[in-house]
PDB file of all heavy atoms in Angstrom:
ATOM      1  N   ARG A 278      15.678  13.555  25.056  1.00  0.00           N
ATOM      2  CA  ARG A 278      16.086  14.710  24.257  1.00  0.00           C
ATOM      3  C   ARG A 278      15.202  15.971  24.635  1.00  0.00           C
ATOM      4  O   ARG A 278      15.757  17.026  24.723  1.00  0.00           O
ATOM      5  CB  ARG A 278      15.922  14.444  22.769  1.00  0.00           C
ATOM      6  CG  ARG A 278      16.552  15.490  21.843  1.00  0.00           C
ATOM      7  CD  ARG A 278      16.795  14.904  20.404  1.00  0.00           C
ATOM      8  NE  ARG A 278      15.581  14.439  19.822  1.00  0.00           N
ATOM      9  CZ  ARG A 278      15.304  13.116  19.448  1.00  0.00           C
ATOM     10  NH1 ARG A 278      16.220  12.292  19.675  1.00  0.00           N
ATOM     11  NH2 ARG A 278      14.094  12.895  18.861  1.00  0.00           N
ATOM     12  N   GLU A 279      13.860  15.679  24.902  1.00  0.00           N
ATOM     13  CA  GLU A 279      13.006  16.851  25.288  1.00  0.00           C
ATOM     14  C   GLU A 279      13.480  17.402  26.657  1.00  0.00           C
ATOM     15  O   GLU A 279      13.210  18.572  26.937  1.00  0.00           O
ATOM     16  CB  GLU A 279      11.604  16.335  25.286  1.00  0.00           C
ATOM     17  CG  GLU A 279      11.040  16.059  23.860  1.00  0.00           C
ATOM     18  CD  GLU A 279      10.940  17.325  23.044  1.00  0.00           C
ATOM     19  OE1 GLU A 279      10.945  18.486  23.589  1.00  0.00           O
ATOM     20  OE2 GLU A 279      10.882  17.105  21.765  1.00  0.00           O
ATOM     21  N   TRP A 280      14.088  16.601  27.454  1.00  0.00           N
ATOM     22  CA  TRP A 280      14.533  17.194  28.752  1.00  0.00           C
ATOM     23  C   TRP A 280      15.556  18.186  28.531  1.00  0.00           C
ATOM     24  O   TRP A 280      15.781  19.075  29.446  1.00  0.00           O
ATOM     25  CB  TRP A 280      15.072  15.984  29.693  1.00  0.00           C
ATOM     26  CG  TRP A 280      14.090  15.432  30.560  1.00  0.00           C
ATOM     27  CD1 TRP A 280      13.433  14.241  30.482  1.00  0.00           C
ATOM     28  CD2 TRP A 280      13.539  16.091  31.788  1.00  0.00           C
ATOM     29  NE1 TRP A 280      12.517  14.092  31.527  1.00  0.00           N
ATOM     30  CE2 TRP A 280      12.628  15.168  32.391  1.00  0.00           C
ATOM     31  CE3 TRP A 280      13.702  17.265  32.424  1.00  0.00           C
ATOM     32  CZ2 TRP A 280      11.900  15.415  33.542  1.00  0.00           C
ATOM     33  CZ3 TRP A 280      13.084  17.533  33.667  1.00  0.00           C
ATOM     34  CH2 TRP A 280      12.159  16.641  34.154  1.00  0.00           C
ATOM     35  N   THR A 281      16.239  18.242  27.447  1.00  0.00           N
ATOM     36  CA  THR A 281      17.315  19.254  27.215  1.00  0.00           C
ATOM     37  C   THR A 281      16.705  20.585  26.731  1.00  0.00           C
ATOM     38  O   THR A 281      17.391  21.524  26.485  1.00  0.00           O
ATOM     39  CB  THR A 281      18.318  18.725  26.224  1.00  0.00           C
ATOM     40  OG1 THR A 281      17.718  18.635  24.795  1.00  0.00           O
ATOM     41  CG2 THR A 281      18.898  17.466  26.531  1.00  0.00           C
ATOM     42  N   ARG A 282      15.395  20.544  26.514  1.00  0.00           N
ATOM     43  CA  ARG A 282      14.658  21.710  25.925  1.00  0.00           C
ATOM     44  C   ARG A 282      13.718  22.355  26.991  1.00  0.00           C
ATOM     45  O   ARG A 282      13.028  23.186  26.724  1.00  0.00           O
ATOM     46  CB  ARG A 282      13.830  21.378  24.679  1.00  0.00           C
ATOM     47  CG  ARG A 282      14.685  20.837  23.605  1.00  0.00           C
ATOM     48  CD  ARG A 282      13.884  20.050  22.544  1.00  0.00           C
ATOM     49  NE  ARG A 282      12.849  20.952  22.034  1.00  0.00           N
ATOM     50  CZ  ARG A 282      12.970  21.900  21.163  1.00  0.00           C
ATOM     51  NH1 ARG A 282      14.094  22.073  20.587  1.00  0.00           N
ATOM     52  NH2 ARG A 282      11.970  22.651  20.724  1.00  0.00           N
ATOM     53  N   GLU A 283      13.635  21.757  28.248  1.00  0.00           N
ATOM     54  CA  GLU A 283      12.569  22.153  29.113  1.00  0.00           C
ATOM     55  C   GLU A 283      12.741  23.593  29.627  1.00  0.00           C
ATOM     56  O   GLU A 283      13.855  24.132  29.564  1.00  0.00           O
ATOM     57  CB  GLU A 283      12.579  21.190  30.272  1.00  0.00           C
ATOM     58  CG  GLU A 283      13.873  21.103  31.163  1.00  0.00           C
ATOM     59  CD  GLU A 283      13.764  21.974  32.411  1.00  0.00           C
ATOM     60  OE1 GLU A 283      12.733  22.637  32.598  1.00  0.00           O
ATOM     61  OE2 GLU A 283      14.812  22.106  33.024  1.00  0.00           O
ATOM     62  N   PRO A 284      11.717  24.279  30.014  1.00  0.00           N
ATOM     63  CA  PRO A 284      11.711  25.731  30.295  1.00  0.00           C
ATOM     64  C   PRO A 284      12.466  26.243  31.497  1.00  0.00           C
ATOM     65  O   PRO A 284      13.024  27.338  31.450  1.00  0.00           O
ATOM     66  CB  PRO A 284      10.222  26.046  30.373  1.00  0.00           C
ATOM     67  CG  PRO A 284       9.588  24.746  30.957  1.00  0.00           C
ATOM     68  CD  PRO A 284      10.380  23.671  30.319  1.00  0.00           C
ATOM     69  N   ILE A 285      12.516  25.478  32.593  1.00  0.00           N
ATOM     70  CA  ILE A 285      13.116  26.041  33.808  1.00  0.00           C
ATOM     71  C   ILE A 285      14.665  26.116  33.787  1.00  0.00           C
ATOM     72  O   ILE A 285      15.233  27.198  33.966  1.00  0.00           O
ATOM     73  CB  ILE A 285      12.734  25.119  35.049  1.00  0.00           C
ATOM     74  CG1 ILE A 285      11.193  25.321  35.260  1.00  0.00           C
ATOM     75  CG2 ILE A 285      13.449  25.608  36.288  1.00  0.00           C
ATOM     76  CD1 ILE A 285      10.637  24.431  36.440  1.00  0.00           C
ATOM     77  N   ALA A 286      15.252  25.043  33.232  1.00  0.00           N
ATOM     78  CA  ALA A 286      16.723  25.127  33.115  1.00  0.00           C
ATOM     79  C   ALA A 286      17.155  26.197  32.094  1.00  0.00           C
ATOM     80  O   ALA A 286      18.191  26.792  32.194  1.00  0.00           O
ATOM     81  CB  ALA A 286      17.246  23.780  32.613  1.00  0.00           C
ATOM     82  N   ARG A 287      16.225  26.399  31.131  1.00  0.00           N
ATOM     83  CA  ARG A 287      16.535  27.355  30.032  1.00  0.00           C
ATOM     84  C   ARG A 287      16.644  28.809  30.542  1.00  0.00           C
ATOM     85  O   ARG A 287      17.510  29.521  30.417  1.00  0.00           O
ATOM     86  CB  ARG A 287      15.380  27.313  28.884  1.00  0.00           C
ATOM     87  CG  ARG A 287      15.566  28.221  27.818  1.00  0.00           C
ATOM     88  CD  ARG A 287      14.444  28.108  26.819  1.00  0.00           C
ATOM     89  NE  ARG A 287      14.232  26.766  26.269  1.00  0.00           N
ATOM     90  CZ  ARG A 287      13.638  26.526  25.116  1.00  0.00           C
ATOM     91  NH1 ARG A 287      13.206  27.554  24.406  1.00  0.00           N
ATOM     92  NH2 ARG A 287      13.450  25.326  24.697  1.00  0.00           N
ATOM     93  N   LEU A 288      15.592  29.094  31.456  1.00  0.00           N
ATOM     94  CA  LEU A 288      15.569  30.500  31.917  1.00  0.00           C
ATOM     95  C   LEU A 288      16.691  30.614  32.997  1.00  0.00           C
ATOM     96  O   LEU A 288      17.258  31.686  33.205  1.00  0.00           O
ATOM     97  CB  LEU A 288      14.222  30.822  32.513  1.00  0.00           C
ATOM     98  CG  LEU A 288      14.001  32.232  33.145  1.00  0.00           C
ATOM     99  CD1 LEU A 288      14.409  33.316  32.137  1.00  0.00           C
ATOM    100  CD2 LEU A 288      12.624  32.434  33.600  1.00  0.00           C
ATOM    101  N   ARG A 289      16.891  29.542  33.770  1.00  0.00           N
ATOM    102  CA  ARG A 289      17.941  29.528  34.872  1.00  0.00           C
ATOM    103  C   ARG A 289      19.289  29.895  34.249  1.00  0.00           C
ATOM    104  O   ARG A 289      20.119  30.694  34.688  1.00  0.00           O
ATOM    105  CB  ARG A 289      18.002  28.330  35.603  1.00  0.00           C
ATOM    106  CG  ARG A 289      19.003  28.359  36.825  1.00  0.00           C
ATOM    107  CD  ARG A 289      18.847  27.219  37.783  1.00  0.00           C
ATOM    108  NE  ARG A 289      19.059  25.920  37.085  1.00  0.00           N
ATOM    109  CZ  ARG A 289      18.186  24.969  36.986  1.00  0.00           C
ATOM    110  NH1 ARG A 289      17.030  25.139  37.580  1.00  0.00           N
ATOM    111  NH2 ARG A 289      18.477  23.736  36.390  1.00  0.00           N
ATOM    112  N   ALA A 290      19.553  29.297  33.115  1.00  0.00           N
ATOM    113  CA  ALA A 290      20.795  29.441  32.435  1.00  0.00           C
ATOM    114  C   ALA A 290      20.975  30.955  31.907  1.00  0.00           C
ATOM    115  O   ALA A 290      22.067  31.512  32.080  1.00  0.00           O
ATOM    116  CB  ALA A 290      20.942  28.530  31.153  1.00  0.00           C
ATOM    117  N   TYR A 291      19.951  31.472  31.405  1.00  0.00           N
ATOM    118  CA  TYR A 291      19.942  32.882  30.978  1.00  0.00           C
ATOM    119  C   TYR A 291      20.115  33.897  32.148  1.00  0.00           C
ATOM    120  O   TYR A 291      21.069  34.716  32.158  1.00  0.00           O
ATOM    121  CB  TYR A 291      18.708  33.247  30.245  1.00  0.00           C
ATOM    122  CG  TYR A 291      18.608  34.677  29.906  1.00  0.00           C
ATOM    123  CD1 TYR A 291      19.421  35.172  28.843  1.00  0.00           C
ATOM    124  CD2 TYR A 291      17.775  35.539  30.541  1.00  0.00           C
ATOM    125  CE1 TYR A 291      19.328  36.462  28.500  1.00  0.00           C
ATOM    126  CE2 TYR A 291      17.726  36.918  30.146  1.00  0.00           C
ATOM    127  CZ  TYR A 291      18.514  37.381  29.155  1.00  0.00           C
ATOM    128  OH  TYR A 291      18.499  38.666  28.837  1.00  0.00           O
ATOM    129  N   LEU A 292      19.427  33.580  33.293  1.00  0.00           N
ATOM    130  CA  LEU A 292      19.507  34.498  34.438  1.00  0.00           C
ATOM    131  C   LEU A 292      20.912  34.393  35.060  1.00  0.00           C
ATOM    132  O   LEU A 292      21.507  35.367  35.511  1.00  0.00           O
ATOM    133  CB  LEU A 292      18.421  34.193  35.361  1.00  0.00           C
ATOM    134  CG  LEU A 292      17.040  34.547  35.014  1.00  0.00           C
ATOM    135  CD1 LEU A 292      15.971  33.985  36.020  1.00  0.00           C
ATOM    136  CD2 LEU A 292      16.854  36.087  34.900  1.00  0.00           C
ATOM    137  N   THR A 293      21.441  33.162  35.145  1.00  0.00           N
ATOM    138  CA  THR A 293      22.766  32.943  35.755  1.00  0.00           C
ATOM    139  C   THR A 293      23.837  33.658  34.887  1.00  0.00           C
ATOM    140  O   THR A 293      24.780  34.326  35.504  1.00  0.00           O
ATOM    141  CB  THR A 293      23.033  31.461  35.843  1.00  0.00           C
ATOM    142  OG1 THR A 293      22.014  30.819  36.590  1.00  0.00           O
ATOM    143  CG2 THR A 293      24.416  31.191  36.471  1.00  0.00           C
ATOM    144  N   ARG A 294      23.683  33.469  33.616  1.00  0.00           N
ATOM    145  CA  ARG A 294      24.712  34.175  32.674  1.00  0.00           C
ATOM    146  C   ARG A 294      24.680  35.711  32.933  1.00  0.00           C
ATOM    147  O   ARG A 294      25.691  36.427  32.786  1.00  0.00           O
ATOM    148  CB  ARG A 294      24.446  33.750  31.295  1.00  0.00           C
ATOM    149  CG  ARG A 294      25.610  34.133  30.316  1.00  0.00           C
ATOM    150  CD  ARG A 294      25.248  33.522  28.883  1.00  0.00           C
ATOM    151  NE  ARG A 294      25.184  32.106  28.879  1.00  0.00           N
ATOM    152  CZ  ARG A 294      24.188  31.426  28.536  1.00  0.00           C
ATOM    153  NH1 ARG A 294      23.106  31.932  28.093  1.00  0.00           N
ATOM    154  NH2 ARG A 294      24.206  30.038  28.589  1.00  0.00           N
ATOM    155  N   LYS A 295      23.498  36.271  33.151  1.00  0.00           N
ATOM    156  CA  LYS A 295      23.422  37.649  33.387  1.00  0.00           C
ATOM    157  C   LYS A 295      23.751  38.136  34.738  1.00  0.00           C
ATOM    158  O   LYS A 295      23.882  39.369  35.012  1.00  0.00           O
ATOM    159  CB  LYS A 295      21.864  38.118  33.270  1.00  0.00           C
ATOM    160  CG  LYS A 295      21.410  38.156  31.750  1.00  0.00           C
ATOM    161  CD  LYS A 295      20.084  38.849  31.736  1.00  0.00           C
ATOM    162  CE  LYS A 295      20.325  40.331  31.951  1.00  0.00           C
ATOM    163  NZ  LYS A 295      19.083  41.103  31.949  1.00  0.00           N
ATOM    164  N   GLY A 296      23.969  37.201  35.706  1.00  0.00           N
ATOM    165  CA  GLY A 296      24.259  37.563  37.048  1.00  0.00           C
ATOM    166  C   GLY A 296      23.074  37.830  37.923  1.00  0.00           C
ATOM    167  O   GLY A 296      23.098  38.445  39.026  1.00  0.00           O
ATOM    168  N   ALA A 297      21.841  37.495  37.350  1.00  0.00           N
ATOM    169  CA  ALA A 297      20.585  37.793  38.091  1.00  0.00           C
ATOM    170  C   ALA A 297      20.189  36.610  39.014  1.00  0.00           C
ATOM    171  O   ALA A 297      19.191  36.605  39.684  1.00  0.00           O
ATOM    172  CB  ALA A 297      19.508  38.181  37.161  1.00  0.00           C
ATOM    173  N   TRP A 298      20.912  35.448  38.845  1.00  0.00           N
ATOM    174  CA  TRP A 298      20.676  34.235  39.699  1.00  0.00           C
ATOM    175  C   TRP A 298      21.881  33.586  40.075  1.00  0.00           C
ATOM    176  O   TRP A 298      22.960  33.741  39.458  1.00  0.00           O
ATOM    177  CB  TRP A 298      19.759  33.356  38.837  1.00  0.00           C
ATOM    178  CG  TRP A 298      19.035  32.345  39.712  1.00  0.00           C
ATOM    179  CD1 TRP A 298      19.216  30.962  39.687  1.00  0.00           C
ATOM    180  CD2 TRP A 298      17.960  32.558  40.552  1.00  0.00           C
ATOM    181  NE1 TRP A 298      18.351  30.371  40.610  1.00  0.00           N
ATOM    182  CE2 TRP A 298      17.562  31.320  41.086  1.00  0.00           C
ATOM    183  CE3 TRP A 298      17.286  33.774  40.956  1.00  0.00           C
ATOM    184  CZ2 TRP A 298      16.537  31.247  42.012  1.00  0.00           C
ATOM    185  CZ3 TRP A 298      16.247  33.555  41.955  1.00  0.00           C
ATOM    186  CH2 TRP A 298      15.834  32.380  42.477  1.00  0.00           C
ATOM    187  N   SER A 299      21.794  32.773  41.222  1.00  0.00           N
ATOM    188  CA  SER A 299      22.996  32.193  41.728  1.00  0.00           C
ATOM    189  C   SER A 299      22.646  30.880  42.412  1.00  0.00           C
ATOM    190  O   SER A 299      21.413  30.629  42.678  1.00  0.00           O
ATOM    191  CB  SER A 299      23.703  33.084  42.739  1.00  0.00           C
ATOM    192  OG  SER A 299      22.786  33.298  43.861  1.00  0.00           O
ATOM    193  N   GLN A 300      23.583  30.118  42.753  1.00  0.00           N
ATOM    194  CA  GLN A 300      23.332  28.856  43.506  1.00  0.00           C
ATOM    195  C   GLN A 300      22.733  29.132  44.875  1.00  0.00           C
ATOM    196  O   GLN A 300      21.905  28.448  45.337  1.00  0.00           O
ATOM    197  CB  GLN A 300      24.595  28.033  43.549  1.00  0.00           C
ATOM    198  CG  GLN A 300      24.329  26.632  44.127  1.00  0.00           C
ATOM    199  CD  GLN A 300      23.386  25.810  43.220  1.00  0.00           C
ATOM    200  OE1 GLN A 300      23.596  25.631  42.050  1.00  0.00           O
ATOM    201  NE2 GLN A 300      22.395  25.197  43.896  1.00  0.00           N
TER     202      GLN A 300
END
Side-chain angles (χ1 to χ4, degrees):
R278 193 162 60 243
E279 290 294 339
W280 267 105
T281 68
R282 300 165 52 82
E283 62 96 4
I285 294 181
R287 181 182 305 204
L288 182 55
R289 182 170 61 238
Y291 175 72
L292 291 172
T293 302
R294 194 174 294 124
K295 286 195 70 182
W298 197 248
S299 65
Q300 188 59 51

